[in-house]
Amino acid sequence: MNVLLVMRQLLDVRGNDVYCESALLPTLKRFQRLGDLSICTYRYEGQSAMPVDTPVPIDRDKVDFLNNEKSLRLRYLDRRYNRETLERRIKDADLVVGYVPGTVCDLALDIAHRQGKKYLSFVVACIWDGTWHHANWKARLMAPIFFVETRRTIRRSDYAWYVTEQFLQQRYPTQGLSLGCTDTSIDELDPVVLQRRLARIGQTGGTLKLLTVGHLDVGFKGQQFVIAAMAELPQVEYYMIGAGSGDRLKRLAAQQGVGGRIHFLGKMNRRDVLRVMDDMDIYVQVSLQEGLPRSVAEAMSRAMPVIGSRTGGIPEMIADAYITRRKSVSDIVRIVRGFSRDTLEQQARRNFEQARHYQPSEVERKIDDFFALLQRKVQGE
């Protein structure tokens, strides 16, 4: 079966070798299990939150790079190259898979629909939350249009794979066959990690180290709310991993008088992120837009207590007492102040146990069952 994956996740080519972010590789390998995989996507130009340094086991001639539709002109007026490239690839495909949301995925579905090809929407995030809360006013202006286009794409899909169990399904329903299962697959859990975390908690002094992983400049990852909360949390240090200049966050930290307790660690590969997590006390993801965040699952696998916002699939992952209202600085302050040695230990144990849901054995079983059914339907069995 020939499968075409259309996405806006970034790939790079060096010589004849194709590279991606390490976190993307397991998902690409899963789609390769569906059949002979080709990919249409954007090319890496230094804008990724994580290093694009992991080899992808795919031939270079199976990858086409599209124009990045980052402007209204490229999205609506100058799409000839993208359209012609997608039409050529879709013509040879038995199944088209689109990473949703994404304007090129909306375009691919329209083409697949006209050509009578089956289409799978891989729903990884909420376009409304991502654009309505974006730092760029132009993105906020387009939020209603993107929302309607994305709902239409998913509703018309023959199949849909949602990375949440409830949230994305309710906001973007489909008429087709669907799966609700994370694409996040962490390492097999090591009990030593929990033992080390509990020992660290037992040695915790007066200072707590908070950590967030995410791009620094998009606005919807929520780091600004943690920085604002630090004015009322004098015993807290805040660390951030991710690409971007962070200029807006640095200005806010200076205005709040907390710049000396803010630490920008830059981009890191996955192994280094895990190493840093082991040296932190609490993971914080108070985003305004998420699907089911991989970084939260990774933090849970390191037995970290987690604070998260009521956004996307986050409430499906962590305990209710540690969920904040969106944009609520006071909730962050209250929850951080409320941690004690006992509650830190309790959440470390709880999150480590919950992380079992994201182990490969559990995730792959659900995906394999869905893919087997999907293959039978596409091939008309």
Side-chain angles (χ1 to χ4, degrees):
M1 185 167 75
N2 294 322
V3 179
L4 174 64
L5 175 61
V6 182
M7 62 183 191
R8 56 190 180 90
Q9 280 64 23
L10 305 173
L11 299 183
D12 196 11
V13 171
R14 300 159 201 167
N16 291 321
D17 297 322
V18 181
Y19 293 84
C20 69
E21 293 182 11
S22 60
L24 180 61
L25 183 61
T27 299
L28 297 182
K29 286 185 174 181
R30 290 186 189 112
F31 285 122
Q32 285 181 318
R33 298 206 300 262
L34 273 174
D36 187 14
L37 185 68
S38 300
I39 301 175
C40 289
T41 191
Y42 298 154
R43 187 161 193 163
Y44 172 66
E45 297 175 346
Q47 70 273 46
S48 176
M50 298 294 176
V52 178
D53 58 3
T54 301
V56 180
I58 189 170
D59 293 338
R60 170 64 183 89
D61 61 5
K62 295 288 187 179
V63 178
D64 280 312
F65 289 111
L66 304 171
N67 290 329
N68 192 331
E69 297 185 343
K70 56 187 177 182
S71 70
L72 296 181
R73 177 181 64 82
L74 289 172
R75 284 171 181 160
Y76 295 108
L77 301 176
D78 189 12
R79 304 186 96 181
R80 180 175 177 179
Y81 174 78
N82 284 358
R83 186 180 297 277
E84 290 179 350
T85 302
L86 289 170
E87 286 175 344
R88 172 172 54 84
R89 284 293 189 180
I90 290 173
K91 183 178 179 180
D92 296 328
D94 299 303
L95 175 69
V96 180
V97 179
Y99 250 88
V100 181
T103 57
V104 290
C105 297
D106 296 331
L107 176 61
L109 173 60
D110 285 338
I111 296 170
H113 187 72
R114 289 200 308 272
Q115 293 189 11
K117 303 290 186 174
K118 297 294 185 179
Y119 193 93
L120 166 68
S121 284
F122 180 39
V123 192
V124 299
C126 174
I127 188 63
W128 173 264
D129 288 345
T131 50
W132 185 250
H133 299 292
H134 202 281
N136 188 314
W137 68 268
K138 294 180 181 178
R140 297 196 296 272
L141 186 66
M142 294 301 296
I145 295 174
F146 291 163
F147 178 67
V148 170
E149 290 176 345
T150 300
R151 279 180 61 94
R152 177 175 178 268
T153 293
I154 297 169
R155 185 180 66 252
R156 293 173 58 194
S157 298
D158 301 284
Y159 316 102
W161 173 9
Y162 300 90
V163 299
T164 61
E165 295 182 0
Q166 299 178 21
F167 172 74
L168 290 169
Q169 290 90 323
Q170 293 170 354
R171 187 162 287 189
Y172 302 96
T174 183
Q175 297 175 350
L177 179 70
S178 67
L179 167 70
C181 176
T182 178
D183 68 320
T184 296
S185 182
I186 60 176
D187 295 338
E188 294 292 339
L189 298 183
D190 183 353
V192 173
V193 171
L194 178 59
Q195 294 170 12
R196 289 174 178 167
R197 174 64 59 186
L198 296 176
R200 176 181 175 82
I201 291 171
Q203 298 167 3
T204 300
T207 300
L208 287 175
K209 294 181 178 180
L210 310 186
L211 174 69
T212 297
V213 179
H215 202 289
L216 302 176
D217 298 333
V218 295
F220 55 75
K221 285 296 181 179
Q223 299 99 325
Q224 64 271 30
F225 308 122
V226 184
I227 292 173
M230 288 183 63
E232 300 181 53
L233 297 168
Q235 300 301 315
V236 166
E237 301 274 332
Y238 185 35
Y239 296 76
M240 285 168 274
I241 295 174
S245 68
D247 290 342
R248 178 178 55 88
L249 299 176
K250 292 172 185 176
R251 288 194 297 270
L252 176 61
Q255 292 168 4
Q256 296 287 330
V258 298
R261 295 187 283 125
I262 302 291
H263 309 278
F264 296 90
L265 304 183
K267 290 196 284 189
M268 291 186 178
N269 62 40
R270 179 171 174 270
R271 288 296 162 194
D272 287 339
V273 170
L274 297 180
R275 175 182 54 78
V276 171
M277 284 180 170
D278 288 341
D279 192 43
M280 298 288 128
D281 297 303
I282 300 170
Y283 187 79
V284 185
Q285 195 80 52
V286 287
S287 307
L288 301 174
Q289 183 265 350
E290 288 292 353
L292 193 138
R294 181 185 300 271
S295 56
V296 172
E298 295 282 14
M300 294 167 68
S301 77
R302 309 313 291 182
M304 292 189 75
V306 178
I307 299 171
S309 56
R310 194 169 297 282
T311 299
I314 293 176
E316 300 174 12
M317 305 177 77
I318 67 175
D320 289 344
Y322 300 95
I323 296 173
T324 73
R325 294 167 294 176
R326 291 185 179 191
K327 303 183 181 182
S328 177
V329 173
S330 63
D331 280 3
I332 298 171
V333 172
R334 173 180 53 79
I335 292 173
V336 172
R337 284 178 174 170
F339 273 113
S340 64
R341 176 175 174 176
D342 286 345
T343 55
L344 287 170
E345 289 183 352
Q346 179 189 62
Q347 287 307 300
R349 295 180 187 277
R350 184 263 182 203
N351 288 346
F352 189 75
E353 181 62 31
Q354 286 295 113
R356 298 187 187 281
H357 295 300
Y358 312 114
Q359 289 186 119
S361 55
E362 179 72 13
V363 172
E364 301 306 328
R365 178 186 60 79
K366 295 178 181 179
I367 295 172
D368 281 344
D369 289 347
F370 180 68
F371 277 8
L373 178 59
L374 191 153
Q375 285 174 314
R376 291 196 297 271
K377 287 186 172 294
V378 172
Q379 294 170 346
E381 298 180 5

